[in-house]
Amino acid sequence: MRLKHSDYMLFAKTRSRARFNLATSGVGSFPLAELPNLSELEINGDSGYGYAPLQQAIAAKCGVDPDCVVAAAGTSMANHLAMASLLDPGDEVLIEHPAYELLVSAALYLGAEVKRFARLPEDGYALDPQAIRRALTPKTKLIVLTNLHNPSSVLTPEPILREIGDLARSVGARVLVDEVYLDAVYENTPRTAYLLGPEFMVTNSLTKVYGLSGLRCGWILAQPDLARAMWRLNDLFGVIPAHPAELLSVAAFAHLDAIRARARKVVEADRALLTQFLDGQTKVSAPRTPWGTTGFLKLHEGDVDALLERLRNDYETTAVPGRFFAVPDRFRIGMGVNSEMFGEGLRRLAQALR
Ligand SMILES: Cc1ncc(COP(=O)(O)O)c(C=O)c1O
């Protein structure tokens, strides 16, 4: 039986919310009322294989040709389409560990043979091309990673990505880089890995860094022939997106810098609170990253699930158990929603740890 569900998503939808919610991964919601140009909203439009103004907006943001852009319902569907268009049952896929669970689940659902390469905690979860080299075989079709890394928020620099691209090319594989957190690098934001060579495919959306999850504005960047195959494959699933969401997405692209700057203030205030918290803690520790909306904390003693149950039941505070990343001695916390809530959540976490 192939995997046909996601345990993490069930948790995210039913168990992650709380008064003090540290189980988030993206910034707080951007309110519709603050988005200009709403008078142009309409119900039906000319979408077909992409709504032209949206295709152009995504292409301009990424510095690519619109022929390389495949619109998708969030990074979730983008990842699914990217993998499904490339993989047949039994094909070998290398996925980072720890990883966002849906990347693994989607590959398993597609019947791929999933192998893992480690991002080691002792290296601060940095990507090591040698770990990929060791896992690579002539059968490898795809290498999958996130940049920034979910859960640790570690940034992989371009020279390392290039090395991984070279490894992929040596066996005729491709590299899928999920960049849904990349724009949370607020200074010298790296360009998309898609621009590094034809072996790269990239997925992204306006969800995590912009607070626009409800628009489901996601995309894949792929070589035009592959992009065309993805559009055709998407016909089997969603056919066309909701046109009002496309129009709102185009409106959002016109104000993307301001939307990002608004969230940045909260993320940076929260990171300062997290740094202060970690500096005062002996029971937990985490790799310190300058960017990103998540932190991955190690509990030095005791059981993470028991701690998080107590945190939820006695302190109205939630975080994501590390078992969803197959790292049971850690848990993930999220920044960028509301600093008052975040600060109080950390205070309660400190109490639960005592
Ligand atoms: C690495 C990664 N990719 C994709 C997604 C899903 O993104 P979207 O909401 O755009 O579908 C998430 C959500 O947590 C994620 O962490």
Side-chain angles (χ1 to χ4, degrees):
M1 275 283 282
R2 282 201 243 153
L3 187 73
K4 292 186 182 168
H5 63 266
S6 160
D7 289 336
Y8 167 70
M9 201 42 78
L10 182 67
F11 164 84
K13 288 180 173 177
T14 62
R15 299 284 294 169
S16 74
R17 291 204 187 105
R19 191 163 159 221
F20 304 97
N21 185 353
L22 305 184
T24 57
S25 55
V27 304
S29 296
F30 184 83
L32 181 65
E34 289 184 30
L35 195 62
N37 301 347
L38 292 186
S39 57
E40 288 163 24
L41 213 50
E42 192 40 272
I43 291 173
N44 297 308
D46 188 9
S47 294
Y49 294 110
Y51 176 54
L54 183 55
Q55 288 291 109
Q56 277 149 17
I58 297 169
K61 177 195 177 323
C62 302
V64 301
D65 193 275
D67 285 355
C68 311
V69 176
V70 182
T75 312
S76 306
M77 193 59 179
N79 284 332
H80 182 103
L81 278 179
M83 288 197 213
S85 62
L86 212 70
L87 298 174
D88 288 312
D91 280 347
E92 186 177 276
V93 186
L94 309 187
I95 305 181
E96 65 187 9
H97 170 81
Y100 175 56
E101 187 245 305
L102 266 295
L103 293 170
V104 182
S105 302
L108 290 173
Y109 163 72
L110 292 167
E113 194 185 309
V114 175
K115 290 171 66 181
R116 310 297 294 273
F117 58 93
R119 301 177 65 135
L120 297 173
E122 53 270 35
D123 297 340
Y125 290 113
L127 250 185
D128 175 11
Q130 294 315 316
I132 297 176
R133 184 191 297 278
R134 285 192 294 274
L136 203 69
T137 78
K139 279 176 53 197
T140 306
K141 272 277 192 69
L142 186 64
I143 299 165
V144 181
L145 54 105
T146 52
N147 197 26
L148 305 175
H149 180 220
N150 180 5
S152 71
S153 286
V154 167
L155 171 69
T156 299
E158 207 170 288
I160 300 289
L161 291 170
R162 284 187 187 282
E163 271 188 65
I164 295 167
D166 291 345
L167 285 171
R169 198 174 331 110
S170 72
V171 295
R174 292 190 196 249
V175 186
L176 172 60
V177 187
D178 177 328
E179 295 184 344
V180 75
Y181 298 100
L182 191 60
D183 284 359
V185 178
Y186 293 118
E187 298 292 332
N188 300 316
T189 309
R191 60 184 179 158
T192 170
Y194 179 69
L195 298 170
L196 302 183
E199 47 284 330
F200 284 93
M201 296 191 296
V202 157
T203 53
N204 204 341
S205 71
L206 299 183
T207 302
K208 300 293 169 190
V209 181
Y210 298 91
L212 297 166
S213 173
L215 295 181
R216 298 285 79 212
C217 178
W219 62 89
I220 306 145
L221 305 180
Q223 294 291 297
D225 55 337
L226 200 53
R228 274 191 295 278
M230 290 180 195
W231 280 116
R232 296 290 303 277
L233 178 61
N234 190 48
D235 283 340
L236 273 56
F237 303 121
V239 186
I240 54 164
H243 188 57
E246 292 179 314
L247 292 171
L248 288 169
S249 301
V250 172
F253 270 104
H255 303 280
L256 222 46
D257 289 344
I259 294 171
R260 185 165 82 135
R262 184 182 188 276
R264 175 180 181 169
K265 288 190 193 133
V266 187
V267 173
E268 289 186 343
D270 286 3
R271 187 180 313 288
L273 291 169
L274 178 61
T275 301
Q276 207 178 28
F277 168 83
L278 290 172
D279 285 347
Q281 272 295 328
T282 53
K283 297 196 169 158
V284 292
S285 62
R288 312 287 180 101
T289 60
W291 313 113
T293 53
T294 61
F296 202 37
L297 277 60
K298 180 180 169 69
L299 179 67
H300 295 296
E301 259 178 51
D303 181 71
V304 165
D305 286 321
L307 169 71
L308 297 191
E309 269 306 297
R310 198 161 69 248
L311 191 63
R312 182 186 163 84
N313 295 336
D314 301 348
Y315 298 93
E316 298 177 274
T317 304
T318 47
V320 181
R323 67 186 144 87
F324 291 120
F325 301 91
V327 189
D329 64 348
R330 297 198 177 233
F331 57 100
R332 195 191 69 189
I333 62 173
M335 294 168 269
V337 177
N338 174 321
S339 294
E340 228 171 276
M341 179 193 78
F342 186 74
E344 181 58 22
L346 288 181
R347 206 181 62 75
R348 288 169 181 242
L349 173 58
Q351 281 178 344
L353 283 166
R354 261 183 225 133

